[in-house]
């Protein structure tokens, strides 16, 4: 599984983001490209300790998290149209150029942590190894970039 902490995967993701245009045709889902770019910032911010969704995970969410956790960093692609967690949904219009720059900055910040040994636990899924954090970030970005054909 590719990891955003790996330099080759990092460069690949950046190149794919730079292939996006302001009005690509999405393959599935409801988000426009600017909304997707904004949405993709949340998991990176969570891993970097810059965002914590206000809603505390309830028992059911934590239980679902235990079953879903391994799918976050395995080789199997996520299916199209998976539901988005409440605190990570983006419904307002977003500026493509601003969101693209912000996402690239966060991707670079995350990659700069490639030698970091300890990470805070995820608010829903709990503890991840550094490699699992990197794999999860790559997989999420890959999922949404495929959503817009890149």
């Amino acid at each position: 599984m590719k990891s955003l902490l790996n330099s080759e995967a990092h460069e690949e993701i950046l190149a794919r983001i730079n292939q996006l245009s302001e009005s690509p045709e999405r393959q599935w889902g409801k988000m426009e490209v600017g909304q997707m770019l904004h949405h993709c910032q949340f998991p990176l911010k969570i891993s970097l300790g810059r965002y914590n969704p206000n809603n505390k995970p309830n028992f059911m969410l934590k239980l679902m998290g235990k079953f879903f956790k391994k799918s976050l960093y395995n080789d199997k692609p996520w299916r199209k149209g998976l539901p988005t967690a409440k605190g990570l949904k983006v419904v307002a219009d977003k500026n493509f150029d601003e969101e693209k720059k912000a996402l690239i900055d966060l991707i670079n910040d995350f990659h700069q942590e490639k030698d970091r040994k300890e990470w805070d636990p995820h608010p829903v899924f709990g503890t991840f190894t550094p490699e699992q954090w990197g794999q999860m970030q790559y997989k999420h970005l890959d999922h949404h970039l495929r959503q817009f054909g890149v």
Side-chain angles (χ1 to χ4, degrees):
M1 178 70 206
K2 293 181 181 181
S3 167
L4 197 56
L5 295 172
N6 174 279
S7 294
E8 289 175 17
H10 170 247
E11 291 301 320
E12 172 204 322
I13 289 292
L14 293 178
R16 290 169 65 191
I17 289 170
N18 283 317
Q19 291 175 24
L20 287 170
S21 66
E22 283 191 63
S23 56
E25 188 174 318
R26 64 179 170 261
Q27 310 295 307
W28 70 85
K30 297 177 183 173
M31 289 187 286
E32 298 298 331
V33 68
Q35 293 169 321
M36 177 274 290
L37 291 167
H38 186 81
H39 164 78
C40 285
Q41 295 171 40
F42 288 123
L44 291 158
K45 287 179 180 180
I46 289 170
S47 67
L48 293 167
R50 299 179 191 172
Y51 179 74
N52 189 358
N54 290 337
N55 54 335
K56 284 204 168 231
N58 61 30
F59 172 77
M60 194 61 169
L61 189 57
K62 284 186 177 184
L63 185 62
M64 286 175 36
K66 284 187 177 195
F67 291 107
F68 189 63
K69 184 175 179 176
K70 286 185 181 177
S71 73
L72 295 174
Y73 52 83
N74 66 19
D75 284 330
K76 186 177 178 185
W78 292 334
R79 66 178 172 83
K80 299 173 183 177
L82 285 172
T84 301
K86 186 178 181 181
L88 308 181
K89 286 186 179 182
V90 179
V91 293
D93 289 340
K94 296 293 177 182
N95 178 282
F96 174 81
D97 292 323
E98 290 173 10
E99 299 302 333
K100 179 179 169 183
K101 181 185 180 324
L103 179 59
I104 288 172
D105 288 346
L106 281 166
I107 289 168
N108 288 331
D109 289 351
F110 181 85
H111 182 70
Q112 288 299 314
E113 299 290 332
K114 63 182 171 276
D115 296 323
R116 184 171 162 182
K117 301 295 181 215
E118 296 200 19
W119 295 73
D120 291 338
H122 188 280
V124 173
F125 301 107
T127 305
F128 290 104
T129 66
E131 192 58 25
Q132 289 168 339
W133 271 114
Q135 291 166 339
M136 176 175 55
Q137 298 298 348
Y138 177 88
K139 189 169 184 175
H140 183 248
L141 291 164
D142 175 67
H143 175 77
H144 285 293
L145 291 170
R146 286 187 297 107
Q147 179 183 12
F148 287 91
V150 295

